[in-house]
Each structure stands twice: as C-alpha cells, then as structure tokens.
Amino acid sequence: MRFPATNPLDDPAALWAFQLELLTLAESLLGHRDQSRKVYQPQFTDHGPNLRNTPNLNGAFVELSRTAETDWAEAVFEMAHETVHLLNPVAGNTNNLEEGVAVAFSFHIQPAYGINVRPGTTAYDHAYGMACRLPGGPLAAGRRVRLEVGALSTATTETLCILFPELNRALAAELARPFGGYPAL
C-alpha cells in the first residue's frame, strides 16, 4: 500500500478510504461489526487516539492524535487499533482482552502498509502479551470470543474459561478485567 502525498488532515477522502479498508480487514479477521451502530468519518483531536461514541450512542468514530494529522503511518496505526473498538463500540472502558486484540490487529496490518509503529505504554504491551497467550493467538481467539459471546468487552472470566478450557483462570480473569486507568490508544 502506498500513502498519498497529502497529509491525512488535508485529505478526508483518503482518510475515510483507509478507515473503511481497515474496517473490512478487521471484520474479515474478527467477525462482522455491530450493524446497529453507524461508523462516522475519523476526526483529529488533542485527546486522541480513542473511540468516540455519538451522544445518542447510535454511532461512533475514531479520534486520531494531532501527530496523525501529518503522518499517514501514525494515522493508519492509530485507526487500526481503534477499528477493533468500532466493531462493538462501548460507552466506557473496554477490557484487557479487547485492548490486547486491538494492539494485535494494529501490528498485523503494518506489513501491508509498510509501517512499523509501536504503542508507547506498558499497559498496552501488557494487554497484548496476555492476548498472545490465548489459544490460537489474539486474532483467532478474538474472533472466537466475538462469535460466541458478542463484544470482546463483554467477555468474563467464566466465558473465557468455557471457550478456552486450557486457559489459566488467573489469566482469564486478568483479560476480562477492565482496562481503565490508562489513556486510550
């Protein structure tokens, strides 16, 4: 994939095309998104990257960082992570499982785009490391959870132990724990 010569901030059509492409890739790996929620055009904000729900919770969109305004690699990396959250947007915090799968997806797409960006916090590294310990890896396990349970953020210790009987219960509990307390990636 080649990035346009423009900046992401100055090319909303290209930014939207990348968002839709990432959403298609995420659905192919993790299952279909919640169709009851509309996906809107990504925006840039001082508080990005994160997922923003619409006030009436009928839709959501990705908020990208100011760094991503002028850097396609950063914009695609941030959108890839947040795209996993677009599959089942929640109001409030996600859990370690969803954050770990989101990091895994952002790493997975990077070779196709010729980028190499890594999250800068230990919290995301920790969530990713735990998700990598799931049978089949984070993306295959994430798909299984979504198909059997629904949203990754609704997975509980019990449901993870049922889906993956070989999984250590302490790890399942940590994956189901709310991610909170850390800034969103």
Side-chain angles (χ1 to χ4, degrees), residues 26-135:
E27 287 183 296
S28 73
L29 292 170
L30 297 166
H32 296 293
R33 72 177 182 84
D34 176 359
Q35 294 291 322
S36 72
R37 305 284 297 278
K38 183 172 178 169
V39 175
Y40 292 95
Q41 175 84 20
Q43 297 181 15
F44 298 92
T45 177
D46 292 335
H47 306 291
N50 60 58
L51 184 80
R52 178 72 59 192
N53 288 291
T54 58
N56 59 6
L57 301 178
N58 70 346
F61 57 94
V62 171
E63 289 185 326
L64 301 170
S65 72
R66 294 292 177 200
T67 302
E69 288 178 331
T70 58
D71 184 341
W72 279 110
E74 183 67 25
V76 169
F77 169 74
E78 290 178 10
M79 273 195 301
H81 179 103
E82 300 304 331
T83 295
V84 171
H85 302 312
L86 279 176
L87 297 174
N88 297 98
V90 297
N93 292 330
T94 60
N95 58 15
N96 284 316
L97 171 64
E98 186 165 325
E99 292 299 338
V101 171
V103 171
F105 180 69
S106 71
F107 290 168
H108 177 79
I109 62 89
Q110 289 191 44
Y113 292 92
I115 61 177
N116 185 18
V117 182
R118 296 290 188 236
T121 69
T122 305
Y124 292 101
D125 291 339
H126 181 64
Y128 173 66
M130 289 187 297
C132 285
R133 294 171 56 193
L134 287 164

Side-chain angles (χ1 to χ4, degrees), residues 162-181:
I162 291 167
L163 287 174
F164 309 106
E166 64 277 26
L167 190 64
N168 176 290
R169 186 167 181 81
L171 177 59
E174 187 63 15
L175 284 163
R177 187 178 64 76
F179 186 72

